[in-house]
Amino acid sequence: MGMAAARFLFSFMLASLLALASLHGAHAVHFTVVNRALNTSGGMRFENELGVNYTQQKMGNSTNFIWNIFNETTPADRKNVKNVSLFVDNIPGIAHVIGNEIHVGAKYIEGITGDIKTEFNGVLYHEMTHIWQNHGNHQAPNGLIEGIADFVRLKANYVPHNWAKPGEGLSWKQGSSVTARFLDYCNGLHQQQGFVAELNKKMRDGYSDNFFHELLGKTVDQLWTDYKAKHAN
Ligand SMILES: *[C@@H]1O[C@H](CO)[C@@H](O)[C@H](O)[C@H]1NC(C)=O
Ligand SMILES: *[C@@H]1O[C@H](CO)[C@@H](O)[C@H](O)[C@H]1NC(C)=O
Ligand SMILES: *[C@@H]1O[C@H](CO)[C@@H](O)[C@H](O)[C@H]1NC(C)=O
Ligand SMILES: *[C@@H]1O[C@H](CO)[C@@H](O)[C@H](O)[C@H]1NC(C)=O
Ligand SMILES: *[C@@H]1O[C@H](CO)[C@@H](O)[C@H](O)[C@H]1NC(C)=O
């Protein structure tokens, strides 16, 4: 085997095992993907239908998308994260974030129906938002944190069929798709500035429901009432 071929084979094997890449330019974030469930059908499905390279690319794409939604144009605006890892694990559930690691369940991947890339990217954009969003020094309601993650998923156009429709839900902080739809409404009231971007900025060091009033001139409860009224019929 020639030198070039040997080198190619080596890099292919290395990439298949574990891929490490950095985005060049202003933002050097490392994205690592490790499939630790190769001996399960979900892990095999990940390998065959998604793959390490594809996932790594989408980690970069989602990161750029999120920085853009949050209007974080310079590195100083962004959270100081240098290394994000995604693991496919033999764990129950869909996916979760611990620190700067995303863990995706192999069983979940095994069971995906419909277009696997659309579904997987929806989950990836959601989880990646948890990496980059501000958590208000852990004072923000969990429903809002989840809602912002699903707002990004909505904006990226990866909406699953079972989501709440606009106007549905019992509370603005119910979370996930209910809160995402409400945030989309709020965002529409404050389009030039990007309401969600401004809200996320305010959530750097703490949290108050009053942030809604400061940005939109109405309390969050009034905004929710307006939102429900708009969709009442
Ligand atoms: C996969 O391998 C791990 C570690 O070798 C083992 O703990 C686990 O039981 C295996 N899972 C299956 C489904 O074979
Ligand atoms: C994955 O990407 C690396 C370089 O980033 C490339 O060398 C390798 O051939 C790719 N593997 C697959 C399976 O596409
Ligand atoms: C996604 O990432 C790849 C690899 O970094 C890049 O070539 C491509 O332009 C990106 N696509 C978008 C829409 O950002
Ligand atoms: C990134 O973090 C993962 C674990 O989360 C670790 O295995 C890997 O070595 C780290 N990579 C770099 C470049 O720090
Ligand atoms: C983004 O932030 C800059 C300040 O860093 C501001 O001048 C600009 O208006 C913001 N753009 C949007 C769309 O929010």
Side-chain angles (χ1 to χ4, degrees):
M1 187 187 314
M3 199 56 193
R7 201 178 290 139
F8 173 79
L9 189 62
F10 177 71
S11 35
F12 175 79
M13 282 160 42
L14 196 64
S16 307
L17 254 175
L18 172 139
L20 204 70
S22 65
L23 291 176
H24 297 293
H27 42 79
V29 181
H30 288 86
F31 297 110
T32 310
V33 180
V34 186
N35 186 353
R36 298 195 291 205
L38 272 167
N39 61 347
T40 70
S41 7
M44 279 314 293
R45 188 173 184 206
F46 174 86
E47 215 60 16
N48 294 331
E49 297 179 42
L50 295 162
V52 163
N53 279 13
Y54 175 82
T55 301
Q56 199 173 40
Q57 180 177 324
K58 293 299 159 192
M59 288 172 83
N61 291 156
S62 57
T63 290
N64 286 320
F65 187 85
I66 293 159
W67 288 342
N68 192 44
I69 291 256
F70 287 162
N71 190 23
E72 294 176 334
T73 48
T74 71
D77 297 332
R78 302 166 190 153
K79 272 168 80 172
N80 185 21
V81 174
K82 296 277 176 258
N83 179 17
V84 184
S85 306
L86 183 145
F87 297 95
V88 180
D89 282 330
N90 195 2
I91 50 168
I94 298 175
H96 64 267
V97 164
I98 304 175
N100 296 327
E101 296 179 6
I102 298 172
H103 296 263
V104 183
K107 266 263 178 282
Y108 155 69
I109 290 171
E110 184 185 353
I112 292 175
T113 55
D115 183 56
I116 188 170
K117 287 186 172 164
T118 303
E119 169 64 25
F120 178 78
N121 284 325
V123 168
L124 180 61
Y125 275 61
H126 175 109
E127 299 304 333
M128 195 59 94
T129 304
H130 286 323
I131 302 279
W132 293 114
Q133 74 185 152
N134 294 318
H135 290 75
N137 198 21
H138 304 289
Q139 291 157 26
N142 190 51
L144 180 60
I145 297 295
E146 293 302 323
I148 290 173
D150 270 348
F151 171 80
V152 170
R153 183 175 186 166
L154 172 67
K155 287 305 180 190
N157 215 9
Y158 292 126
V159 173
H161 296 294
N162 60 358
W163 260 30
K165 300 280 179 288
E168 283 182 6
L170 300 171
S171 151
W172 67 269
K173 53 181 156 186
Q174 192 170 329
S176 300
S177 56
V178 168
T179 302
R181 300 281 194 197
F182 172 64
L183 291 171
D184 195 32
Y185 164 80
C186 294
N187 212 55
L189 302 174
H190 195 336
Q191 221 135 27
Q192 322 83 311
Q193 290 290 332
F195 167 74
V196 171
E198 293 298 313
L199 180 65
N200 180 64
K201 220 162 272 171
K202 281 177 169 290
M203 286 167 65
R204 264 195 179 186
D205 306 311
Y207 176 77
S208 161
D209 284 354
N210 212 36
F211 289 167
F212 284 81
H213 191 271
E214 288 165 20
L215 291 169
L216 296 172
K218 289 181 179 179
T219 65
V220 67
D221 292 325
Q222 184 61 51
L223 288 161
W224 175 254
T225 304
D226 293 356
Y227 169 68
K228 291 299 281 186
K230 182 183 174 210
H231 291 283
N233 32 35

